[in-house]
Amino acid sequence: MTASPILLTSPDDILGAVPYLLGFHPSDSLVIVGFRGAGARGRLRVTTRWDLPVPPDAFGRLVPLLRREKVTHTIVAAFGPGALVTPAVREAMGLLAAAGIEITEALRAEDGRYWSYVCERAECCPPTGRPYDPVAGQVAAQATFGGLVALPGRESLERSIAATGGPARVKMREATRLAADDVRARLLAAPVLDDFPREFVSDGLARVHRALEARRARLPDHEAASLGLALTVLRVRDEAWTLMDDATQDDHISLWGDLTRRLEPPFVPPAASLLAAAAWRRGDCALAGIAVERALSADPSYSMALLLAQGLSRLLGPEILRTRLPTPAQLDESMGPPRMEWLHPLLFLLDTSASALRPREPARTDAPQ
């Protein structure tokens, strides 16, 4: 979780850690945390969460996921009233036990109290539950010190990448209009039309590299808008995807999260999908899922977002994003030199969004005669 390992040695520790594993404080949720190794030396491998009540067969991919991650023991933590929580907990525990996966602890938490499903001793686990503090415990303090954040709820996580509004939106819309006008002007002025895709793609790749080299510095509106247009070209977007690694994934999350908030809706899907890929790669499936939702709300057919949504729904581990991505050189080899059809998605968006980006005239008020 952090540079200094956090040990989970008690129910209080577990319940204090879960919000930082998810990125938000859960409610009406079932969370399963999987570890590999023996006892306190076990290492966190996977954290997965379900909304309650769970639909039929919701746990069908749970055991294959834990097998892939070589999980040896698990913690089950559920949040909500007993009538809602207990059936899901019992079902999950039955599946884990049948698969031979140890359950170290299983808890239900509600209104600052918790109950254990594996402890039957009234002296330590009374029927009325035991009190705990989800924000002031030792694990929460250590996680916060290590740079982890737990937002108040999933809605807060959604708001963290929601579209900006107000004056910032007006400025970004104007920057996008100017960037679009610049593309049109360059295209019309190109002496040889077939040379323009190579020039545009080269410029877009340079923008990607500059933005990432800025190390989380906020891009000016005009640069953010121009990069948003460039990302509509798959070769440019995929360059950004291939540049993700362990050392830079937080930079990617910062950059693509910022663009997801600021770009005009038609240009959101590439940035939101890159945010989802970076978040998933880091193991932050909650943010990845919300970013995918942002992408698909703007374009329900956007292929990268659909691919990521499928991977998340199948509970695939983030290792797949570390081992199967091509290099930029391999992209060049497979895709060949830039061609005019590469720009068709951008030109379509420029045509369809032209009226939305046009400056709005103030309402007229006719003076009385």
Side-chain angles (χ1 to χ4, degrees), residues 210-296:
R210 284 199 306 270
L212 289 169
E213 289 164 3
R215 299 303 302 272
R216 310 186 204 181
R218 187 176 187 273
L219 296 179
D221 287 345
H222 69 275
E223 184 63 27
S226 295
L227 179 55
L229 268 59
L231 290 171
T232 62
V233 178
L234 296 187
R235 178 62 185 85
V236 178
R237 182 206 67 189
D238 287 353
E239 177 88 2
W241 199 356
T242 64
L243 293 175
M244 294 179 188
D245 57 29
D246 289 345
T248 63
Q249 60 191 14
D250 288 346
D251 296 335
H252 281 270
I253 289 173
S254 176
L255 173 61
W256 309 127
D258 181 55
L259 289 189
T260 298
R261 290 187 293 272
R262 295 168 64 195
L263 292 177
E264 287 294 289
F267 303 99
V268 163
S273 297
L274 289 168
L275 171 61
W280 187 15
R281 193 183 193 284
R282 192 175 67 178
D284 191 345
C285 292
L287 177 58
I290 291 169
V292 164
E293 291 172 6
R294 281 294 317 275
L296 293 177

Side-chain angles (χ1 to χ4, degrees), residues 165-236:
R169 171 56 54 201
V170 174
K171 292 179 181 178
M172 195 64 198
R173 184 174 295 121
E174 174 64 8
T176 304
R177 184 186 68 81
L178 293 175
D181 289 347
D182 178 67
V183 171
R184 294 190 189 93
R186 288 163 56 196
L187 181 61
L188 292 173
V192 180
L193 189 61
D194 289 342
D195 289 343
F196 182 72
R198 182 172 62 251
E199 172 193 333
F200 186 84
V201 170
S202 176
D203 177 67
L205 296 178
R207 289 182 187 279
V208 168
H209 284 265
R210 284 199 306 270
L212 289 169
E213 289 164 3
R215 299 303 302 272
R216 310 186 204 181
R218 187 176 187 273
L219 296 179
D221 287 345
H222 69 275
E223 184 63 27
S226 295
L227 179 55
L229 268 59
L231 290 171
T232 62
V233 178
L234 296 187
R235 178 62 185 85
V236 178

Side-chain angles (χ1 to χ4, degrees), residues 117-176:
Y117 290 92
V118 300
C119 176
E120 298 179 354
R121 293 181 299 167
E123 62 271 23
C124 66
C125 299
T128 56
R130 294 185 65 89
Y132 82 102
D133 191 329
V135 297
Q138 180 178 350
V139 165
Q142 189 176 351
T144 302
F145 182 76
L148 300 180
V149 175
L151 297 175
R154 191 178 190 274
E155 296 79 8
S156 297
L157 195 58
E158 292 172 347
R159 288 194 294 270
S160 73
I161 61 168
T164 57
R169 171 56 54 201
V170 174
K171 292 179 181 178
M172 195 64 198
R173 184 174 295 121
E174 174 64 8
T176 304

Side-chain angles (χ1 to χ4, degrees), residues 41-126:
R41 295 183 179 274
R43 295 287 179 171
L44 174 69
R45 293 301 303 165
V46 63
T47 304
T48 187
R49 183 192 72 91
W50 288 265
D51 288 320
L52 295 177
V54 295
D57 301 323
F59 299 128
R61 297 189 176 100
L62 173 60
V63 171
L65 167 67
L66 300 181
R67 296 284 192 219
R68 282 197 310 270
E69 297 298 324
K70 298 181 173 59
V71 166
T72 55
H73 56 287
T74 58
I75 290 170
V76 179
F79 301 82
L84 179 66
V85 163
T86 298
V89 170
R90 295 298 187 195
E91 182 181 354
M93 291 178 67
L95 286 172
L96 295 171
I101 299 173
E102 180 185 354
I103 303 168
T104 304
E105 181 62 277
L107 301 168
R108 178 176 77 86
E110 181 185 15
D111 296 334
R113 303 186 76 82
Y114 69 81
W115 295 258
S116 174
Y117 290 92
V118 300
C119 176
E120 298 179 354
R121 293 181 299 167
E123 62 271 23
C124 66
C125 299

